[in-house]
């Protein structure tokens, strides 16, 4: 809604594209809130990032899904999109494809890890392979002097009231996640 997930997504895309032979695309899910509600929330206009359809997922070799957190789980807009993937689930068209997740929360206790945990169920039902970043980001995972979102589940940021933007360290972690998952996706595709 306020661009935090999109900023992380742009860095993830850059990281993925840094892997030779990998093409990365950025999409957004359809908005489900009426314009009137978005206006009351002081939401800025949506970017011109293309809107994804469930059919677009079948074309991809791997995914890094990002979403804001609402009450400790993915926002309803993303859940509504995944609910529309029943046809892909029925035919298991996403089975065996690697997928990672990243997120934005309003506060440090806002559910970064619970959002990841509750999102994994979506991947499991589709038969996707969950690819966490673990502690592959190195020293950045142990930063204690600065506010930093993210966890071994994936990159993340803290939005606060919407005015805090992702820090340089959070963007570096997002770049790392994109590169890491793209490398794994490439290896799996080459082995198939």
């Amino acid at each position: 809604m306020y661009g935090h997930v999109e900023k992380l997504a742009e860095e993830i895309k850059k990281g993925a594209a840094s892997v030779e032979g990998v093409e990365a695309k950025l999409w957004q899910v359809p908005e489900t809130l009426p314009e009137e509600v978005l206006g009351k929330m002081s939401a800025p206009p949506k970017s011109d990032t293309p809107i994804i359809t469930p059919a677009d997922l079948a074309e991809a070799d791997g995914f890094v899904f990002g979403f804001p957190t609402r009450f400790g789980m993915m926002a309803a807009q993303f859940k509504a999109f995944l609910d529309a993937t029943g046809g892909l689930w029925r035919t298991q068209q996403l089975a065996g494809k690697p997928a990672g997740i990243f997120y934005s929360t309003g506060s440090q206790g806002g559910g970064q890890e619970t959002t990841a945990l509750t999102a994994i169920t979506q991947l499991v039902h589709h038969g996707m392979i969950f690819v966490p970043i673990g502690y592959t980001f190195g020293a950045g995972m142990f930063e204690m002097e600065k506010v930093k979102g993210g966890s071994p589940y994936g990159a993340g940021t803290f939005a606060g009231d919407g005015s805090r933007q992702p820090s340089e360290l959070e963007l570096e972690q997002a770049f790392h996640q994109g590169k890491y998952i793209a490398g794994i996706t490439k290896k799996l595709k080459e082995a198939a």
Side-chain angles (χ1 to χ4, degrees):
M1 183 173 301
Y2 300 106
H4 297 82
V5 171
E6 187 170 27
K7 281 196 176 185
L8 292 177
E10 289 166 353
E11 287 302 308
I12 287 170
K13 180 182 176 187
K14 288 177 192 174
S18 75
V19 176
E20 186 179 339
V22 171
E23 177 188 359
K25 294 182 181 179
L26 187 62
W27 303 87
Q28 65 179 320
V29 299
E31 180 58 71
T32 59
L33 294 174
E35 287 297 324
E36 179 183 344
V37 172
L38 291 169
K40 289 179 180 178
M41 297 173 79
S42 301
K46 293 290 180 193
S47 74
D48 57 359
T49 300
I51 304 294
I52 194 168
T53 67
D56 293 320
L57 292 176
E59 302 301 317
D61 296 319
F63 315 98
V64 187
F65 297 121
F67 27 78
T69 296
R70 297 292 184 268
F71 305 109
M73 58 184 62
M74 72 177 65
Q77 293 89 332
F78 206 95
K79 179 66 169 75
F81 171 73
L82 290 175
D83 286 347
T85 63
L88 297 173
W89 166 78
R90 189 171 39 261
T91 57
Q92 286 294 284
Q93 289 184 59
L94 307 180
K97 294 185 180 191
I101 52 179
F102 65 102
Y103 31 78
S104 172
T105 59
S107 67
Q108 291 183 15
Q112 292 213 353
E113 289 196 345
T114 59
T115 299
L117 287 169
T118 56
I120 291 170
T121 62
Q122 308 296 313
L123 309 180
V124 168
H125 282 270
H126 277 287
M128 289 186 256
I129 302 166
F130 175 53
V131 181
I133 60 171
Y135 285 85
T136 61
F137 186 50
M141 294 298 291
F142 299 97
E143 173 59 51
M144 299 299 285
E145 300 301 317
K146 301 174 189 167
V147 174
K148 182 191 83 63
S151 73
Y153 294 97
T157 190
F158 298 116
D161 62 1
S163 62
R164 180 188 184 272
Q165 293 300 308
S167 70
E168 190 60 38
L169 186 60
E170 290 168 334
L171 295 173
E172 289 170 9
Q173 185 178 38
F175 182 93
H176 169 77
Q177 183 174 12
K179 184 175 182 178
Y180 181 72
I181 292 178
I184 291 172
T185 301
K186 183 178 177 181
K187 287 177 190 174
L188 287 171
K189 185 175 181 183
E190 288 172 351

